[in-house]
Each structure stands twice: as C-alpha cells, then as structure tokens.
Amino acid sequence: MGNTFCHARYRRLSRLGIKLFAIILSINVVIAGAVFLAVSYSIDRGFLDYLNQAQERRAMRLAEGLVERWREHQGWEWLENDPLRWPTIVYHELGRGNAERPSPLGEAQDFALRAPDGRFIVAPRHAEDEPASWHWMSLDADDRPIGSLGFRPPQQILKRMENRFLDRQRNNLSLIVISLGVASLLLAGCLSWWLGRRAHTLATGAMRLTRGDYHIRLPVRGRDELSRLARDFNVLASTLEANRNARARWVSDTAHELRTPLAVLRGEIEAMQDGIRPLDTDSLGSLGQEVEQLECLVADLRLLSQSDAGALAIQLAPLDLSDHLQCHLNDARRWLEDTEFRLTDDLAPSLHIYGDAQRLRQLWHNLLDNSRAYTREPGTLSVTLTREHNEAVLIWEDSAPGVPQHELARLTERLYRVEGSRSRSSGGSGLGLSIVSALVHAHDGRLDASASPLGGLRWTLRFPLILST
C-alpha cells in the first residue's frame, strides 16, 4: 500500500515536470515566433526606408560628380558619344573616397540621365523599366538646368535583391529561431527536471513527516525560495520532534508525579484494611492531605493546559501594582513571623498596569512558595519594584543556595527540578514556576532568571504600564 502511494506521488510529480516543460517550451516558442515576425516586418519596412535614404544619398553624390564633369566638358556630348563610360563614371563617383565596392544600390543600371529637353543621354537599360515610376533629380550648373538624374526606386530594386538578400536574411533568421527552439527545449527540460526533483524531495519529506518520522531533514543548497522552504521545513521537523519529545517527557513526568501520592494513598488504605493502622481521625487526615496534594497537582496541570490552549480565564483591568503587591507582602510577613526568614521590600508607588488581581495573587504566592521552600534558614527575600521607561520592573531575589548558570533557562520547564542544593526532597509538584511564567505572559510581561547578589536566585518581571493620556 505504501509503495503504491509513493509511486502515485511520483507520477504526480512527473506530470508536474511535464507541465513545467510544456509551459516553458510554449512560452519560448511563442517568443521566438514573435521575434521572427517582428524582425521580418522590420526588414520589409524599416530596411526599405533605409534603402530609400541611402539611394537618395548616392543619387546626390552622383549628381555632384556629373555637374562637375558637365562644367569640365560644357555639355553631354562626351557621354553621348561614348555611352560605355557610364558604368565607369557611376562606379567612380559612388566609390569615391573609400575602397569599398559600391553596394547593389550603386549599380549603373539603376541610374539614367536626361538632357534639359527631355531626351535620354543615358536611358534605362531594360525595356520593361518605366521611367515615369523612377525618381528624378534636377541637375543645375551656374543657376541654369543642365538635365536631370533619375534613379530606380528601392521597391523595384528589392525585386531583384529578394533572392540575394532578403531570402538569405530570412533563412538566417529561421536558423536562429530553430537554434532558439532547441535551446529552449534543453532549458525547459533541465529546468523542469530540476524543479521536479526539488518538489519530489519536498513531497517525500512531507510524506515522512505525516508518518511520524521527525528525524527527516532536507538538504539546503543555495539561497533561493526553494532553499528557504527547505530550511523552514527543517525547522518544522525540528519543532515537531522537540514537541513530541516534550510531550513524551511531560506524560512521563506527570505519571511520575501522580504515582507518589497515589502510592501513599494505596499504602495507607491497605494498611487500614489489614488492621496495621487504625481507621481513626488521624489516618483519615493523612489520607485527606494526600488527596489535597493530588487536587493541587491536577489544578496546576489544568491551568497550564488552559494557558497552552490560549483559554486561560483572566480578566484584565486597571490595577495599582504597587498596592496589590504590598498587601500580599504584608500578609507574607505575618506568615513568616515564626521563621528565620527575613522579608524586605522597596516598592515605587502608583505603578498601574492592566492585571487580574486573583491571578497576580496566585503569581506572588507561587514565587513566595518557591523562595521559602528552596532557601536555607536563616534566609532573606528582597522584593524591589521600580519604573523603567514604560515598564514596571519587579526584582524578586532570595539568598543561598543558588542555581547553576546552565540550569537557569530550564527553571520554568514543567516538572523540572534542579538536582542539588535547591532540590527539595519534601515534595512539590514542580509546576509552580511554570505557572509563574504562564501568568506573567498572560499579563503581556516578561520573566528572566539570573543569579542573585544575595547568593540565591533572582527573578526579574517586567509588566507594561498604563500610559497616561
């Protein structure tokens, strides 16, 4: 079944290559045809205009030479007595000043000469030529007419030149178009093969992702859009792999956290059933404590799942952060009176944010529990609230023991506990700091961990202030 699916995908990709090949080839053929027609039209029209201008320039040059010769001989008798001199004169005048042979437009048969009375001194060579259709140019010497020079229109010359020039140019253009078509064929084939291969690689990778193979990585070559797509694909595969590993670790850690209170409950109940422990108020109280711990763990898990889904119930409203935090710290002092734990605070007044009073109380409670649980007595907790630009900055730091630098980034991971001096053997769900992070982000804030000058851990919380209008 899997092989059939792969072959079907490959056939679809092959059809993609064929479509790309056909589209690219068709476009190039259309362009080549348009170039052929445009150049052919340019030769027929633009070249004809050029020939008209070139023939007029040659006629003017020949006219200047004839006028000079008329002044020298004071008439046309020298030419009438020897008409064979006409080709030599035309060649000499039109070839004067350069060693180049006259072009086909400079042949003697394309020119004629008439006297002022209209008789031909040099008549058109071919009987079928119609002098009336020729172009005639007046020849003047010393302000009096001495005759007129006629030249064949380029349209008539082109009839003679078609087989020698235009057909040759069209043949050359046809060869160019054919060469362009072959080059387009090769280009379309190579490009379609290249795109088809890249698309096949992407499709194969996507298919492996759908089957759960998150180890797949695509080769990244170049800096084009397909290379960026391959890099994005690799990032997606890495993210999916990390999420799968995190989910597996999360399930395993959750099962581990639930196993302990459940094992205690089961042991206590079996001890009561076997008569080892009496079924009295103390035993039921112990069972109640384990159930309460389970309830707290489940509640924490539910809060984090709501935060992940973006469904955390939170009602933001204008709130004086300074007063709210001061009230909670005052309650904490009464709670810490019988301990060797000293609490100091320095709170800037009247810092207003958008916050949820109940969620913020839960946030302060979790931070206090974390500091109280992991700080050795006699311990110190220092809380400072200041204003920096448009933010309220809360610094919450405690005394030793501290946390290794490489462990700081993982403190807010769920069910993560630091191995060592701040690892509490007495319990704790390992979700308190994860909840702190979720609540801070729910208030559009930021949370950073660092080492404290007091020897323990420093938390820096930043909340956006309400800007006065």
Side-chain angles (χ1 to χ4, degrees):
M1 181 65 181
N3 292 334
T4 303
F5 180 74
C6 290
H7 290 318
R9 295 282 296 180
Y10 182 75
R11 284 197 297 270
R12 281 199 289 272
L13 290 173
S14 297
R15 286 199 294 271
L16 174 61
I18 292 174
K19 289 179 180 178
L20 289 172
F21 175 81
I23 291 172
I24 296 172
L25 183 60
S26 300
I27 292 175
N28 286 330
V29 168
V30 170
I31 293 175
V35 170
F36 179 82
L37 294 176
V39 173
S40 297
Y41 179 81
S42 177
I43 290 176
D44 289 340
R45 299 296 180 185
F47 186 63
L48 184 60
D49 294 338
Y50 167 76
L51 292 181
N52 281 321
Q53 297 175 7
Q55 187 71 331
E56 290 180 1
R57 288 195 297 269
R58 291 183 178 90
M60 292 177 64
R61 189 186 307 169
L62 179 58
E64 292 174 358
L66 290 174
V67 170
E68 291 178 5
R69 290 174 185 271
W70 185 91
R71 286 196 180 101
E72 181 182 352
H73 296 282
Q74 290 299 314
W76 300 114
E77 290 78 8
W78 58 277
L79 187 55
E80 289 181 291
N81 295 333
D82 190 5
L84 296 178
R85 297 176 66 181
W86 180 247
T88 304
I89 295 171
V90 173
Y91 179 83
H92 175 74
E93 295 296 336
L94 299 187
R96 182 173 56 188
N98 59 67
E100 219 179 343
R101 287 189 59 191
S103 71
L105 291 177
E107 296 181 1
Q109 62 183 346
D110 297 325
F111 297 93
L113 182 62
R114 287 192 306 200
D117 57 5
R119 60 186 176 84
F120 280 103
I121 298 172
V122 178
R125 180 170 301 182
H126 300 288
E128 65 274 10
D129 288 338
E130 292 290 339
S133 63
W134 282 35
H135 296 166
W136 293 91
M137 180 182 298
S138 176
L139 301 179
D140 298 320
D142 302 328
D143 296 330
R144 64 189 180 94
I146 61 174
S148 58
L149 175 65
F151 58 92
R152 189 193 307 270
Q155 291 89 336
Q156 296 183 15
I157 301 175
L158 283 177
K159 295 178 181 178
R160 186 177 73 242
M161 295 174 58
E162 280 181 342
N163 293 331
R164 291 187 300 171
F165 178 76
L166 293 180
D167 288 347
R168 184 185 304 167
Q169 296 302 316
R170 287 194 176 95
N171 289 337
N172 293 338
L173 185 59
S174 299
L175 292 177
I176 294 174
V177 171
I178 292 173
S179 301
L180 180 61
V182 174
S184 300
L185 183 67
L186 295 176
L187 175 63
C190 294
L191 186 60
S192 62
W193 174 81
W194 178 73
L195 288 175
R197 183 170 61 89
R198 298 285 293 273
H200 177 68
T201 302
L202 289 171
T204 302
M207 182 170 56
R208 290 179 62 179
L209 277 184
T210 59
R211 295 177 177 176
D213 182 8
Y214 300 141
H215 300 288
I216 179 67
R217 298 293 185 273
L218 299 181
V220 179
R221 294 184 293 269
R223 297 182 179 179
D224 55 14
E225 286 75 8
L226 290 177
S227 299
R228 288 200 295 271
L229 179 59
R231 284 193 291 271
D232 293 341
F233 179 93
N234 292 339
V235 171
L236 173 62
S238 300
T239 303
L240 291 175
E241 185 178 14
N243 288 341
R244 182 179 63 181
N245 295 337
R247 184 171 62 251
R249 187 169 59 251
W250 165 254
V251 172
S252 175
D253 291 344
T254 302
H256 176 75
E257 293 295 328
L258 291 173
R259 185 184 301 119
T260 301
L262 289 175
V264 173
L265 280 174
R266 181 175 181 178
E268 297 248 0
I269 294 174
E270 288 179 350
M272 294 178 190
Q273 290 176 337
D274 295 339
I276 299 175
R277 291 192 60 179
L279 183 59
D280 54 15
T281 304
D282 293 337
S283 299
L284 293 177
S286 176
L287 292 178
Q289 290 179 355
E290 297 299 329
V291 171
E292 183 179 357
Q293 185 175 353
L294 276 176
E295 288 179 346
C296 290
L297 177 60
V298 172
D300 291 345
L301 291 174
R302 182 173 181 272
L303 186 148
L304 290 174
S305 65
Q306 289 176 339
S307 176
D308 290 342
L312 181 62
I314 186 168
Q315 297 178 354
L316 300 179
L319 178 142
D320 190 331
L321 181 63
S322 304
D323 289 345
H324 186 275
L325 179 58
Q326 187 68 68
C327 291
H328 187 81
L329 294 179
N330 292 338
D331 293 341
R333 281 193 179 89
R334 290 191 293 271
W335 177 55
L336 296 173
E337 284 180 352
D338 298 333
T339 66
E340 298 183 27
F341 200 84
R342 185 167 62 93
L343 173 61
T344 63
D345 63 78
D346 182 11
L347 309 182
S350 302
L351 296 182
H352 294 83
I353 67 170
Y354 286 106
D356 185 320
Q358 181 180 356
R359 294 299 186 185
L360 285 175
R361 181 172 292 277
Q362 185 179 9
L363 172 60
W364 313 140
H365 182 75
N366 282 8
L367 284 174
L368 184 61
D369 277 351
N370 183 76
S371 296
R372 181 67 185 88
Y374 292 106
T375 303
R376 289 194 297 263
E377 295 186 6
T380 300
L381 172 63
S382 173
V383 180
T384 304
L385 181 63
T386 59
R387 175 177 184 149
E388 291 185 8
H389 303 294
N390 295 323
E391 291 181 329
V393 180
L394 171 64
I395 297 178
W396 188 293
E397 54 186 344
D398 54 33
S399 56
V403 176
Q405 186 69 28
H406 65 277
E407 300 278 2
L408 292 175
R410 300 191 61 188
L411 289 178
T412 56
E413 291 184 11
R414 297 168 188 182
L415 303 175
Y416 178 76
R417 291 192 180 91
V418 179
E419 296 297 330
S421 58
R422 287 182 73 97
S423 177
R424 188 175 58 159
S425 58
S426 60
S429 67
L431 297 174
L433 293 179
S434 299
I435 294 175
V436 167
S437 178
L439 292 177
V440 169
H441 287 94
H443 286 79
D444 294 327
R446 301 195 307 276
L447 176 69
D448 298 301
S450 59
S452 170
L454 301 178
L457 183 64
R458 167 186 282 186
W459 291 102
T460 302
L461 294 78
R462 298 178 181 270
F463 299 96
L465 291 172
I466 299 177
L467 301 179
S468 59
T469 56

